[in-house]
Structure formats: structure tokens, C-alpha cells
Amino acid sequence: MKIANRFSSKPDLQRVHDALSKLYTHTKEHPGKKGLIINADASVARFIIFSDQHKGAKDGRDDFMQAEPNYVAALDHYFNEGFQFISLGDSEELWENTVGPVKANNKLSTAAEKNFLDHKRYTKVFGNHDLFWHNDPFAGLQLLSMYRDTVKIYEAVLLQIKLPDKQFDIFLTHGHQGDGQSDGNPFSAWFVSRIWGPLQSYLNLNPNTPAASKELKTVHNRFMYEWSKQEQNPVLITGHTHQPVFASLTHLERLYKQLIEAKQQNNEAVIEKLNKEISFRQEEYDFVNSNYMNMRPYYFNTGCCCYSDGDITGIEITDGMIRLIKWKKNGVVSAREVLEEMKLADLPV
């Protein structure tokens, strides 16, 4: 029980905030070590950000298997359109699997990622479920074997966005910082990635991570939002919770906000449509932050690439816009859908 309490994921507000602030400062002061800085002109910048693929061994525990066709189709599209690809952590499920089976069973998606790597448009960030890439002495050789090229691993990316009248930061990291799995202790990180995480999976113990707990998803997203809204902190994009957030609101919260506006306008057709959509979305998650009407657009979450229906979600930054997008099957063809969007110039920075 002591070990479970020590290494389980129990996000604490101050610990999360301290970890994010430390990582953000380190990235600015020591670029290229833990975090990569990318300068981007908003008029020409093109980024696609996906996280939480959790690529497995194509067995019964592989959450990515159903989503792979949409993922590969999306990457092919973004490569052809000249995007830079940021993979924001938990790309490989290395708690449930060793590297060998993951590498052998995901050659198609690896090849799609390698296209970006070959053209110097690929950035790989580690998460808690693929912490192996960060702390194992043989990780570099494994990545070289997978991609047939050297892959640098980062903990964060700092996009320095330039607009005609201002410049501001967008900070990207997986989002597991500050919990029991990433307290800055090298032994703890090694123990979780190589012993505790795989043992939880083998024994079918509840890993108690935000990705698996509706309650912790809500808590974790709130901590992320509250860190980003503090003065002089950047706009923040994370993954980890598997719950898409756009401009600090989950999709369900945004629907409720739209419903209130529709009722104020007595728009019966829109009210009916929104009620149907809300009923459907409540099956995925039903928590609504009590302050959702007043939240500012400081925080974004990619969602994930391992939904059970095969859909994937991510964040695009292009055309001077930031967008929450979904890729899903339309018949036999994977199609892109814009769920939310806003101008970069409208971010409160």
C-alpha cells in the first residue's frame, strides 16, 4: 500500500504548478536540453499536435489498434500539406509492453511519422507511459532501430508565436508533471516506467491516472488551466487526460454555453440540436466546471489518438488560427472535422 500511495498519480495543485513553472523556465533559459524552442510566424506556421496514441502490440489490450487508420491518414495529409508534427507524449504504451512488440506491430504508423523526421519536421515529447524514452540508457538505440535515424526526446516545446502586433508563448508538454510519477527524482521515474507501471498492468490494478479516472481528468484539467491563467504564464497545451479541451472548455461545457445563448434567443431549432448533442456527449463524460461561463481561453488539450471508436483528436495551429480537430471514418475514408477554432490573435496574451 505504501508503494501504491508513493507512485500512484495524485495530482496536487502546488506540485503541478511548481513542476510546470520549473519546466517552462528551464526551457526558456536552457533551450534544447529539456525543452525545444521553435520560433513561428503565425501567418505561415503549420503545426499538428497529437498525443496519447498508446501504441501497443496489436493484442486485446491495444487501445491504438482501432485508431491507426485514422492516425496514418491524418499524418499523410499533414505531411503533404507541409505541417510540422509534434507528438506530445504517450505515443507508445510501454507500461503494458516492451519496446520490441510495439516496434514490430506499428511499422505503418512509424513510417508515417518518419516522413516528418526525414524532413526535419518531427518533434517527440515523452509522457508517463513512454517515460522509457527519457530515462533508459538504451532508448536512443531503440529509437534508431525504429526510425533508422536519431530522434531527440524532449519534455516540452515552446512555440514563440509572432503576430504583426505582438509575440507570445505557447507552452506544450504531455501534462503528467507534478504527480507521483514525475517528481523530479530519477529513481522514482525509473521505478515507475520499468517496474511499477508494468506491474500495475500485469496485475490489472487501477493505475489511478487522469487518463483512466473521470474525477482526476477534471481535477488535472483545472490545475492546468489555473497555472496557465496566472500572470506572465503562457498559453498551455497538454495531453495526458484523453479529454479534449479547447480555449479552457471541454466540448460538453461549450455545448452548455451555446445552449444558454440559444435559449436567450429563443432559437428552438438550435436548442433541440444542442440537447441531442449534449445527451450524446454526456455518455463520454458528464462533469461541467461550475465556473465554465467565465473561463478564459488559456488552456488547450489535444484529447487522444486511442478512442474506442477509432476516432482521434488533436490541435492544429495554422492560417493564423488554433483549431481542435477530429479525424474519423466517413465510410471507408478518413475525414477531418473542425470541432472548434479561434484566431491566435484573440488569445489573451
Side-chain angles (χ1 to χ4, degrees):
M1 182 60 69
K2 288 183 179 180
I3 292 179
N5 289 336
R6 171 66 182 82
F7 292 103
S8 62
S9 172
K10 295 180 179 179
D12 170 83
L13 175 64
Q14 193 58 52
R15 190 162 59 188
V16 168
H17 284 200
D18 289 347
L20 287 172
S21 295
K22 183 178 180 181
L23 180 58
Y24 178 49
T25 299
H26 189 281
T27 300
K28 289 195 297 181
E29 295 179 353
H30 306 282
K33 293 185 176 181
K34 285 187 176 183
L36 177 67
I37 293 180
I38 302 175
N39 294 302
D41 188 320
S43 64
V44 296
R46 309 198 108 190
F47 294 97
I48 177 60
I49 306 149
F50 286 128
S51 77
D52 296 271
Q53 296 89 337
H54 289 273
K55 298 178 198 170
K58 295 293 192 293
D59 55 17
R61 298 184 301 176
D62 189 344
D63 294 330
F64 177 68
M65 186 163 49
Q66 298 299 321
E68 185 176 39
N70 283 318
Y71 181 69
V72 171
L75 289 189
D76 288 346
H77 165 83
Y78 290 117
F79 175 75
N80 292 331
E81 293 296 318
F83 280 68
Q84 296 186 55
F85 173 34
I86 299 173
S87 186
L88 205 56
D90 283 4
S91 180
E92 288 77 29
E93 177 48 73
L94 299 180
W95 283 16
E96 297 180 353
N97 310 279
T98 57
V99 175
V102 173
K103 180 171 59 176
N105 288 282
N106 291 279
K107 293 182 178 179
L108 193 63
S109 59
T110 300
E113 294 166 351
K114 181 171 167 51
N115 286 335
F116 291 89
L117 179 64
D118 290 345
H119 289 77
K120 303 187 185 307
R121 290 193 266 139
Y122 181 47
T123 303
K124 189 172 179 64
V125 174
F126 69 85
N128 53 321
H129 280 248
D130 57 4
L131 194 61
F132 172 90
W133 301 129
H134 172 63
N135 64 19
D136 192 281
F138 298 105
L141 292 175
Q142 293 282 12
L143 287 166
L144 182 62
S145 174
M146 282 176 63
Y147 291 99
R148 301 186 303 281
D149 200 350
T150 301
V151 180
K152 181 76 183 288
I153 300 298
Y154 296 98
E155 189 174 354
V157 178
L158 179 58
L159 299 182
Q160 296 188 324
I161 303 294
K162 183 180 180 181
L163 291 164
D165 59 343
K166 63 181 177 180
Q167 180 171 311
F168 63 94
D169 291 348
I170 298 179
F171 190 53
L172 300 91
T173 188
H174 179 64
H176 65 289
Q177 286 76 14
D179 63 21
Q181 298 159 357
S182 58
D183 61 1
N185 183 320
F187 173 77
S188 296
W190 174 85
F191 184 86
V192 168
S193 66
R194 307 308 297 152
I195 309 271
W196 177 240
L199 181 63
Q200 284 182 311
S201 176
Y202 178 75
L203 297 177
N204 198 28
L205 298 175
N206 180 3
N208 195 31
T209 65
S213 165
K214 289 183 178 180
E215 179 182 354
L216 287 180
K217 283 182 182 183
T218 299
V219 170
H220 201 85
N221 282 329
R222 178 169 59 84
F223 288 176
M224 298 288 111
Y225 167 75
E226 290 178 355
W227 179 82
S228 190
K229 79 174 184 178
Q230 292 176 11
E231 187 176 1
Q232 296 184 338
N233 278 355
V235 171
L236 178 65
I237 300 176
T238 73
H240 190 46
T241 68
H242 297 194
Q243 185 181 71
V245 176
F246 187 84
S248 305
L249 297 177
T250 66
H251 190 46
L252 183 60
E253 289 167 343
R254 191 168 296 278
L255 290 172
Y256 274 116
K257 192 172 182 178
Q258 292 170 356
L259 180 61
I260 290 173
E261 293 170 354
K263 287 181 176 178
Q264 290 173 344
Q265 298 168 6
N266 294 316
N267 192 328
E268 294 298 331
V270 173
I271 290 171
E272 182 180 1
K273 180 181 178 182
L274 287 170
N275 278 327
K276 288 180 180 178
E277 178 72 3
I278 287 170
S279 178
F280 175 76
R281 294 298 172 190
Q282 283 175 328
E283 296 179 8
E284 298 175 346
Y285 50 89
D286 59 6
F287 180 86
V288 174
N289 191 301
S290 60
N291 195 39
Y292 75 95
M293 288 293 291
N294 301 313
M295 296 177 78
R296 302 287 305 283
Y298 297 110
Y299 171 56
F300 298 78
N301 192 297
T302 60
C304 73
C305 294
C306 57
Y307 294 112
S308 59
D309 59 2
D311 292 356
I312 66 172
T313 58
I315 298 288
E316 287 180 5
I317 297 176
T318 184
D319 305 323
M321 307 287 289
I322 182 168
R323 300 184 176 106
L324 175 65
I325 52 90
K326 174 188 284 189
W327 282 78
K328 62 185 299 181
K329 279 293 184 72
N330 184 3
V332 296
V333 178
S334 295
R336 169 183 170 274
E337 177 183 353
V338 177
L339 300 179
E340 311 280 356
E341 66 178 359
M342 68 181 296
K343 294 179 181 178
L344 290 171
D346 290 338
L347 290 172
V349 290

